[in-house]
């Protein structure tokens, strides 16, 4: 069976005074995802539509946007989440500089991730101190500790969902704070004090007001809100220890 | 020319406090967040109102008696119930936020919210009953 | 911009274009990358993410196998922020698979791919979710990359050396004047306007669209578009990559990544790569193939189903025509200089793999440099790449 949706898509290009919406009706197989529907609009109806996408399986984190106001990765959002024949509204992520249509600039977000020195290779299991202490062997032994990518896709959905990111221009945001927690748990050669200092200020760890929208939006099991609360509990101690060690 | 010609929608240029009240959040956390802000503002407003009312005392007994008569009318009594609701919710949710920020009950923050909401509603009902029974 | 060298425009920011941009920038060329969409939005982004050890090709294509292992070992050093390096297995499911093992081990040995034989018991200990019906296997140095970040790393490094990366800019035509390539006509898809970018040479790395780009200059690129279907599920079944110990076939590779596993792939051919419909029977086949390795696979909710076209090097006829068709380094990759077709300075690159993109870039830039008389030694073997995120933090132009 095929699925018919009308996409009400946010349009804007530099020079436009205000954004507007275009409506496109597409028919896709019912196994398709919202991203497939958007790509079909581009391929068959409007070549000028700009949207971000690369991996189509929630690994690159580039396609984040809002469907009916909610933050989604359209690549893993089945079209059947919305009734056949319905209209869905597609908007870009909020709190990001807009480049065009659905494309946002990941610059400020990436800067926050850099500020906490986020490194994306971690140990596969929890509680192993350091994934980077040694170079991985070419052929790992049976008991070799496996490494893997961090859960965070750097998609920015959490920042778009966060009401505080909407009002505080310089707030580091949920993803960077969750990343900082990972770096403090498993420093991988990074100075923990530098990580702590990057978040221990008004626009960092202490700006969060606990709306928990980030964790509701996150598509990749990060649960940034919980990470922020853990940081509030244990972070100051970690910072203190790191400071003493440096002395 | 870094970022020089990067476009932005006018609305995105400044971040606005109005975004706090975006009610689209499905998560109870957002509902709690919005209610917390509304009740907080309400309480601040009430505090100044309260000071204004108290200042009537300086104007003599007649002014005060007139106010007491007004305070006993139904619309004002309803506002009293609203005030109690706001006060209770803000206090209880404040406790929830304090707990959560100390990393206690983070995983149960949704349940804590519903708990706070439930206690708020029950106590408001009791208070309302007492106010109108008088 | 750049190191004062000639200006080269690279069309396409997939793994091929990204690696070429990095190599060019490192050798002192002035570089502009023109990509019509997001980085990696063509074939690369949607690939399997397998950092080949070469073992997959050890029996069928020894040249490709050798290139893969060499590049695999180089990438481990230059891409510290982008690889899950846990190794991989070739696992036998049937007695025929076990019979294939000897041939396989010999192929790996000849290509220089290290191997270690594993018993069924060892495998089940290391990967408890494997089907108890497996018979045995071999460990190889496979790895996992993230295609998007793979490209971003190369582009970030190129940018740091002055390269301009114009995303959402589509090449509408290659400009040729008096038999020489002068640059490209570009549509700025952000602002909706046209612009001309002049260049001393143009490298067409548009993947499945390379033939279309070359056609604007009246040139031909022999290309076969062979898509494959892939499916991701939200369970990580193994620490390491799982391949079927058999000659290459459908659904014989499962790549784990984060908390997911991705199975692929199939192969058929299409005419247009813009929108590839997914054949439902391919999806069924993949899920069954996954079930054979990991009981329960078929019942997992899917986390993405997608297909994308391999830009394979087309029929050999071109070579016979002797139009400067250069089969550089490898059998599955070609760099064609369109000089004989009246577009000197236009180079089309097709084929290859993401794993070998650095090597392809080296060969292409050697060829471009030779033609432009700007020959510098390649340095990409040892130059450590910047973390992918730096692409966004150090953006020169939006
Ligand atoms: C199903 C499948 C699985 C694969 N798995 C693996 C694997 O596991 N490991 C591995 O190493 N390799 C794998 N490969 C091979 C690998 O993905 C490709 O060889 C490689 O991605 C090709 O990259 P490319 O840069 O040449 O092409 P592309 O990635 O397609 O890049 C071309 C770019 O050019 C852009 N473009 C097109 N037209 C224009 C224009 N007019 N103007 C501007 N830009 C334009 C496109 O948007 C695109 O981004 C796989 C391939 C397939 C199909
Ligand atoms: S924390 Fe989750 S929502 Fe935020 S950027 Fe990372 S993956 Fe995306």
């Amino acid at each position: 069976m095929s699925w018919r949706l009308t996409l009400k898509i946010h349009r804007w290009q530099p020079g436009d005074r205000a954004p507007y919406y275009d409506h496109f009706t597409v028919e896709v197989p019912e196994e398709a995802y919202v991203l497939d529907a958007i790509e079909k609009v581009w391929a068959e109806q409007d070549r000028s539509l700009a949207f971000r996408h690369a991996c189509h399986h929630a690994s690159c984190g580039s396609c984040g946007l809002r469907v009916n106001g909610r933050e989604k990765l359209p690549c893993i959002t089945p079209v059947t989440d919305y009734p056949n024949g319905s209209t869905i509204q597609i908007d870009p992520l909020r709190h990001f500089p807009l480049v065009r249509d659905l494309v946002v600039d990941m610059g400020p977000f990436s800067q926050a991730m850099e500020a906490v020195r986020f490194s994306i290779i971690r140990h596969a299991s929890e509680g192993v101190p350091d994934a980077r202490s040694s170079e991985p062997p070419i052929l790992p032994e049976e008991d070799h500790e496996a490494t893997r990518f961090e859960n965070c896709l750097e998609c920015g959905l959490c920042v778009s969902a966060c009401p505080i990111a909407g009002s505080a221009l310089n707030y580091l945001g949920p993803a960077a704070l969750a990343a900082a927690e990972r770096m403090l748990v498993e420093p991988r050669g990074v100075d923990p004090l530098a990580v702590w200092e990057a978040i221990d200020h008004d626009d960092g760890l202490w700006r969060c007001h606990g709306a928990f929208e980030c964790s509701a939006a996150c598509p990749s099991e990060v649960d940034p809100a919980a990470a922020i609360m853990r940081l509030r509990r244990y972070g100051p101690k970690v910072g203190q220890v790191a400071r003493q060690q440096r002395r | 020319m870094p970022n020089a010609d990067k476009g932005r929608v006018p609305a995105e240029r400044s971040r606005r406090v109005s975004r706090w009240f975006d009610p689209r959040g499905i998560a109870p956390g957002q509902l709690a967040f919005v209610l917390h802000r509304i009740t907080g503002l309400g309480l601040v407003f009430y505090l100044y109102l309260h000071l204004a009312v108290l200042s009537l005392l300086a104007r003599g007994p007649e002014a005060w008696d007139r106010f007491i008569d007004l305070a006993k009318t139904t619309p004002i009594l309803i506002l009293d119930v609203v005030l109690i609701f706001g006060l209770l919710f803000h206090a209880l949710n404040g406790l929830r936020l304090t707990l959560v920020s100390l990393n206690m009950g983070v995983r149960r923050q949704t349940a804590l919210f519903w708990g706070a909401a439930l206690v708020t509603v029950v106590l408001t009902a009791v208070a309302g009953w007492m106010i109108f029974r008088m | 911009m750049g190191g004062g060298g000639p200006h080269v425009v690279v069309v396409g920011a997939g793994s091929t274009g990204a690696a070429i941009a990095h190599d060019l920038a490192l050798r002192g060329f002035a570089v502009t990358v023109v990509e019509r969409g997001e980085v990696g939005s063509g074939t690369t982004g949607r690939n399997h993410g397998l950092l080949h050890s070469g073992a997959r090709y050890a029996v069928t294509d020894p040249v490709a196998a050798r290139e893969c292992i060499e590049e695999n070992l180089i990438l481990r050093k230059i891409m510290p922020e982008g690889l899950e390096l846990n190794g991989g297995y070739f696992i036998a499911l049937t007695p025929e698979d076990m019979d294939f093992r000897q041939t396989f081990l010999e192929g790996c040995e000849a290509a220089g791919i290290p191997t270690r034989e594993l018993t069924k018991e060892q495998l089940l200990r290391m990967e408890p979710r494997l089907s108890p019906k497996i018979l045995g296997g071999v460990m190889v140095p496979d790895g996992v990359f993230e295609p998007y970040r793979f490209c971003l790393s190369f582009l970030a490094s190129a940018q740091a050396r002055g390269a301009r990366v114009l995303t959402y800019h589509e090449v509408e035509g290659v400009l040729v004047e008096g038999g020489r390539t002068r640059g490209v006509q570009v549509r700025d898809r952000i602002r909706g306007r046209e612009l001309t970018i002049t260049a001393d040479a143009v490298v067409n790395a548009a993947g499945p669209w390379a033939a279309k780009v070359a056609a604007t200059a009246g040139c031909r690129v022999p290309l076969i578009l062979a898509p494959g279907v892939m499916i991701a599920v939200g369970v990580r079944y193994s620490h390491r990559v799982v391949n079927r110990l058999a000659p290459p076939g459908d659904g014989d590779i499962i790549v784990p990544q984060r908390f997911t596993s991705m199975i692929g792939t199939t192969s058929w051919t299409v005419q247009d790569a813009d929108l590839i419909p997914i054949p439902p029977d391919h999806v069924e086949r993949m899920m069954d193939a996954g079930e054979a390795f990991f009981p329960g696979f078929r019942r997992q909710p899917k986390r993405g189903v997608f297909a994308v076209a391999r830009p394979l090097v087309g029929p050999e006829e071109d070579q016979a025509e002797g139009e400067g068709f250069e089969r550089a380094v490898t059998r599955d990759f070609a760099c064609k200089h369109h000089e004989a077709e009246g577009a000197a300075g236009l180079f089309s690159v097709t084929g290859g793999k993401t794993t070998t993109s650095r090597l392809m870039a080296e060969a292409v830039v050697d060829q471009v440099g030779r033609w432009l008389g700007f020959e510098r030694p390649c340095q990409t073997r040892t130059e450590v790449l910047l973390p992918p995120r730096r692409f966004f933090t150090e953006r020169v132009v939006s």
Side-chain angles (χ1 to χ4, degrees):
Chain A
M1 212 179 112
S2 69
W3 213 255
R4 195 185 163 86
L5 288 176
T6 300
L7 307 188
K8 179 184 171 199
I9 300 184
H10 174 278
R11 305 300 301 265
W12 180 83
Q13 74 174 60
D16 285 357
R17 257 207 266 122
Y20 59 97
Y21 290 91
D22 271 339
H23 290 71
F24 303 97
T25 301
V26 280
E27 232 175 277
V28 290
E30 75 182 327
E31 298 81 20
Y33 296 89
V34 172
L35 182 57
D36 299 325
I38 298 173
E39 194 174 28
K40 189 161 179 171
V41 168
W42 165 79
E44 295 174 355
Q45 299 189 34
D46 189 344
R47 283 273 168 174
S48 72
L49 179 66
F51 60 105
R52 301 180 66 219
H53 68 125
C55 78
H56 291 231
H57 62 281
S59 153
C60 71
S62 76
C63 67
L65 41 74
R66 290 181 296 142
V67 183
N68 292 344
R70 295 298 301 176
E71 284 71 18
K72 297 279 179 197
L73 287 184
C75 63
I76 53 166
T77 305
V79 288
T80 47
D81 279 5
Y82 308 94
N84 195 357
S86 65
T87 298
I88 58 175
Q89 182 170 325
I90 312 281
D91 284 295
L93 293 181
R94 308 184 306 169
H95 321 328
F96 286 80
L98 190 61
V99 176
R100 180 191 169 111
D101 297 345
L102 301 171
V103 178
V104 296
D105 173 16
M106 298 307 280
F109 176 90
S110 302
Q111 257 151 18
M113 299 304 269
E114 281 290 292
V116 301
R117 295 165 171 64
F118 191 41
S119 136
I120 56 181
I121 303 293
R122 61 169 272 187
H123 250 293
S125 40
E126 293 285 341
V128 182
D130 224 321
R132 290 296 187 70
S133 53
S134 61
E135 215 167 275
I138 305 235
L139 276 185
E141 294 297 327
E142 209 171 311
D143 56 358
H144 172 70
E145 275 294 338
T147 57
R148 70 171 183 84
F149 290 116
E150 285 282 1
N151 278 355
C152 180
L153 312 171
E154 305 187 48
C155 63
L157 297 198
C158 52
V159 170
S160 175
C162 173
I164 298 302
S167 62
L169 197 61
N170 297 318
Y171 178 37
L172 271 181
L177 291 172
E181 200 228 7
R182 289 291 311 138
M183 295 311 293
L184 290 176
V185 171
E186 199 186 282
R188 301 158 236 190
V190 166
D191 175 12
L193 187 57
V195 177
W196 174 246
E197 280 172 353
I199 61 170
D200 179 24
H201 54 80
D202 286 359
D203 275 320
L205 184 54
W206 313 106
R207 176 67 74 213
C208 166
H209 285 249
F212 287 89
E213 278 286 289
C214 52
S215 292
C218 179
S220 198
E221 302 185 1
V222 176
D223 198 351
I228 291 171
M229 299 317 165
R230 282 195 299 274
L231 275 176
R232 285 185 169 175
R233 177 78 176 77
Y234 303 110
K237 200 168 273 170
V238 174
Q240 204 181 5
V241 171
R243 211 165 280 134
Q244 275 161 3
Q245 274 169 357
R246 182 181 279 185
R247 265 196 227 115
Chain B
M1 42 176 160
N3 298 354
D5 54 359
K6 192 170 289 168
R8 285 171 184 221
V9 171
E12 289 284 326
R13 205 170 280 149
S14 64
R15 306 217 166 167
R16 290 169 308 174
V17 175
S18 65
R19 299 241 171 93
W20 283 358
F21 303 106
D22 185 339
R24 85 207 144 76
I26 287 168
Q30 172 78 358
L31 198 59
F33 177 87
V34 172
L35 274 179
H36 201 74
R37 255 122 279 263
I38 292 175
T39 53
L41 287 173
L43 288 175
V44 169
F45 174 73
Y46 172 75
L47 180 68
Y48 285 99
L49 191 71
H50 189 62
L51 289 177
V53 166
L54 283 183
S55 74
L56 291 177
L57 281 174
R59 296 222 214 123
E62 297 84 58
W64 183 253
D65 285 345
R66 246 181 289 127
F67 167 70
I68 293 295
D69 286 341
L70 174 71
K72 281 184 184 157
T73 60
T74 312
I76 298 293
L77 289 181
I78 289 175
L79 282 181
D80 279 346
V81 177
V82 172
L83 172 69
I84 288 169
F85 173 87
L87 189 70
L88 283 169
F89 181 82
H90 202 82
L92 292 170
N93 190 52
L95 283 177
R96 165 181 167 268
L97 286 175
T98 310
L99 277 179
V100 164
S101 285
L102 292 170
N103 198 36
M104 290 191 247
V106 176
R107 239 178 268 141
R108 275 181 285 273
Q109 61 90 10
T110 312
L112 283 174
F113 164 71
W114 291 120
L118 186 73
V119 174
T120 303
V121 168
V122 169
L123 290 185
T124 308
V126 171
W129 182 69
M130 284 166 66
I131 286 171
F132 282 101
R133 198 192 48 167
M134 279 195 308
Chain C
M1 195 203 329
H7 181 209
V8 181
V9 163
V10 180
V11 186
S15 53
T16 310
I20 291 172
H22 169 61
D23 194 318
L24 283 166
L26 206 51
R27 293 198 216 193
F29 287 88
V31 185
T32 304
V33 179
V34 185
E35 161 60 54
R36 69 174 179 177
E38 181 63 43
V39 169
S41 59
T43 304
T44 308
R46 273 170 266 192
N47 82 18
H48 213 156
L50 169 61
L51 179 70
H52 283 284
S53 60
R56 171 46 66 223
Y57 310 104
V59 174
T60 52
D61 190 346
V63 180
R66 181 165 286 280
E67 284 166 10
C68 281
I69 184 65
E70 282 171 8
E71 289 307 303
N72 177 308
L73 295 176
I74 291 173
L75 285 167
R76 281 165 191 262
K77 299 238 154 56
I78 66 171
M79 201 177 265
E81 270 293 280
L83 306 170
E84 282 187 7
L85 290 175
N86 297 322
Y89 317 100
F90 278 74
I91 292 179
L93 294 177
T94 63
E96 294 84 73
D97 291 356
M98 283 305 264
D99 293 344
F100 180 66
R101 185 159 68 164
Q102 205 44 45
T103 326
F104 175 77
L105 286 168
E106 281 161 16
C108 287
E109 163 113 51
I113 301 163
T115 52
R116 187 189 313 136
E117 289 188 69
L118 295 170
T119 63
K120 169 182 177 170
E121 289 68 35
Q122 278 175 309
L123 277 166
L124 289 175
R125 228 176 6 251
M126 293 164 87
E127 304 290 358
R129 302 178 102 147
L130 273 172
S131 161
K133 294 200 191 114
I134 61 160
L135 300 176
V138 178
M139 181 181 256
V140 297
D142 280 346
V144 178
F145 59 82
E146 235 193 24
Y148 182 55
R149 294 192 165 77
F150 187 101
C151 301
L152 290 181
S153 267
F154 276 106
L155 292 171
S157 308
Q159 260 183 183
R161 290 180 189 273
R164 280 200 305 167
V165 184
L166 303 173
T167 49
Y168 301 94
H169 282 63
E170 181 154 12
V171 169
E172 295 192 320
V174 177
L175 304 173
V176 183
E177 236 177 67
R180 238 201 108 130
T181 306
R182 301 287 171 194
V184 284
Q185 182 66 27
V186 173
R187 178 155 188 86
D188 172 350
R189 295 188 56 228
I190 295 173
R191 291 160 206 83
R193 64 181 185 204
E194 302 289 322
L195 58 135
T196 305
I197 301 175
T198 54
D200 301 302
V202 173
V203 177
N204 168 17
W209 300 272
K212 283 191 184 163
V213 171
T216 64
C219 302
R220 240 175 58 77
V221 172
L223 209 56
I224 296 172
L225 305 182
V229 169
M230 266 161 306
I231 301 168
V233 297
V235 172
R236 183 167 183 140
Y237 276 102
S238 58
H239 283 312
R240 301 173 173 87
V241 179
V242 169
N243 303 263
R244 176 100 185 246
L245 181 53
D250 280 359
D252 54 358
I253 307 178
I254 299 176
V255 176
Q257 189 240 72
R258 293 199 179 88
F259 51 86
T260 69
S261 306
M262 203 197 323
I263 185 155
T265 174
T266 57
S267 188
W268 76 105
T269 55
V270 294
Q271 290 306 313
D272 180 29
D274 275 353
L275 196 70
I276 299 165
I278 294 172
D281 58 311
H282 287 212
V283 176
E284 287 307 307
R285 277 215 314 270
M286 289 296 100
M287 294 309 274
D288 287 346
E291 183 76 22
F293 284 110
F294 298 112
F297 191 98
R298 202 194 343 238
R299 287 192 308 279
Q300 286 303 329
K302 300 184 184 77
R303 204 175 149 86
V305 178
F306 49 101
V308 70
R310 297 171 189 81
L312 297 183
V313 178
E316 298 285 324
E317 50 177 290
D318 277 81
Q319 215 164 13
E321 287 166 32
E323 346 165 300
F325 185 85
E326 189 169 327
R327 285 251 183 218
V329 278
T330 147
R331 282 209 262 125
D332 68 348
F333 147 66
C335 178
K336 179 175 180 180
H337 186 192
H338 297 284
E339 197 165 13
E341 290 166 280
L346 174 63
F347 299 81
S348 291
V349 192
T350 46
K353 290 169 209 44
T354 297
T355 304
T356 54
S357 49
R358 190 214 60 85
L359 179 67
M360 292 161 63
E362 179 175 341
V364 172
V365 179
D366 280 350
Q367 196 179 344
V368 173
R370 211 176 308 131
W371 183 75
L372 283 171
F374 189 78
E375 293 188 67
R376 300 283 185 281
C378 173
Q379 300 166 44
T380 55
R381 277 167 194 271
T382 50
E383 177 77 12
V384 176
L385 298 167
L386 292 178
R389 200 181 299 123
R390 294 280 281 279
F391 176 74
F392 298 110
T393 57
E394 276 153 43
R395 209 87 174 80
V396 183
V397 178
S398 77

